[in-house]
Amino acid sequence: MSKKLFVLPGDGIGAEVMGPAVEVMQAAADLVGCKIEISEGLVGGVAIDATGEPLPAETLAQAQAADAVLLGGVGGPKWDDLPMHQRPEKGLLGLRQGLGLFANLRPALLFAPLADASSLKADLVSNLDILIIRELTGGIYFGEPRGIEQRENEKVGFNTLVYSEAEIDRIARVGFDLAQKRNRKLCSVDKANVLEVSQLWREVVNGVHKDYPDVELSHMYVDNAAMQLVRAPKQFDVIVTGNMFGDILSDVAAMLTGSLGMLPSASLASTGVGLYEPVHGTAPDIAGQDIANPLATILSVAMMYRYSLGEPGAAEAIEAAVAKVLAENYRTADIDDGQDRQRVGTGEMGQLVINRL
Ligand code: IPM
Ligand code: MG
């Protein structure tokens, strides 16, 4: 039986990096003899332009029926002035919610040849391999009440940060499970010195820890975690945190690896379809120039083979091909440190990876 893969290129460079990523997806399938069936849909700004909505019902239905979804990115200046509920980002948030994708895995792994592209000194990041697990369907992103309203003589904007025991419990378990498969160190990041939500978060995480006595658990406030990530990132193995802290810390972690253009992600539900996307956005400033780095999306395809398609061999082959291309000195603009590298564009980088598969 063939696997149904649903592709959502989206906006800006999201659409651009998708071409090479889909080719890599097909090449890896052929390599391991996995039958795949690829269909494409609309989300974000392009969906707004075509249908008036950032997440057409048809898109959500197709995503729900797929084995895995690969998404490029959503958003751009063209849609920035739309009301909140009609913005492209709502398409992505609606997909996460509609598919129950509560666990977002964002690995920050440094490919050795990129040590000099990092904004940190090479010895601080050499062999860096950390995994940020971000809760993705709760917290302040989805909490109610929310809005902007007139109160007395001024407008007030408000959002709600809320986590239930069950939501914390299930994301904590993902953290402990994955830590068990790595170096058995889990750091839970919160703001328990100020927020009640974080006090409950800590209590629940400590409770779940009883089921994982072989994992070393630590807690860290988010401000300190941001500082430690740029001071001594190798102290971390797995980090588990809430939606907004995870959004922010994963951008920091991405930069340690040389570029936001290198970081893939997987968003998983308790059962059913997984969604894979690069951590970077749509980069409107460089869209349409064939200079965007497709590797974050290509590495997201590797994660798709590992977590949704049960083909770890295909995942490893893709990752090895990416490592090889970097070792051979090929660089897109974002990871070019100026040390005599071979500068390539989006399409060419994809082709180089395919040739080495
Ligand atoms: C991310 C992005 C999204 C988020 C935006 C585009 C809604 O920044 O996936 O990190 O905030 O979750
Ligand atoms: Mg983000």
Side-chain angles (χ1 to χ4, degrees), residues 278-291:
V279 170
H280 63 68
T282 53
D285 53 325
I286 61 160
Q289 301 173 38
D290 190 45
I291 58 173

Side-chain angles (χ1 to χ4, degrees), residues 14-42:
E16 255 177 286
V17 294
M18 195 52 86
V22 167
E23 285 181 43
V24 169
M25 191 152 93
Q26 188 62 62
D30 297 342
L31 188 72
V32 298
C34 169
K35 279 214 193 72
I36 61 173
E37 210 179 285
I38 303 171
S39 60
E40 196 176 305
L42 294 173

Side-chain angles (χ1 to χ4, degrees), residues 74 89 92-93 96 104 106 134 136 141 243 247 250-251 277-279:
V74 296
E89 289 80 0
L92 177 56
L93 296 171
R96 289 174 179 170
N104 183 212
R106 298 189 161 185
R134 167 188 178 194
L136 202 59
Y141 271 54
N243 206 340
D247 177 44
S250 59
D251 267 30
E277 55 176 320
V279 170

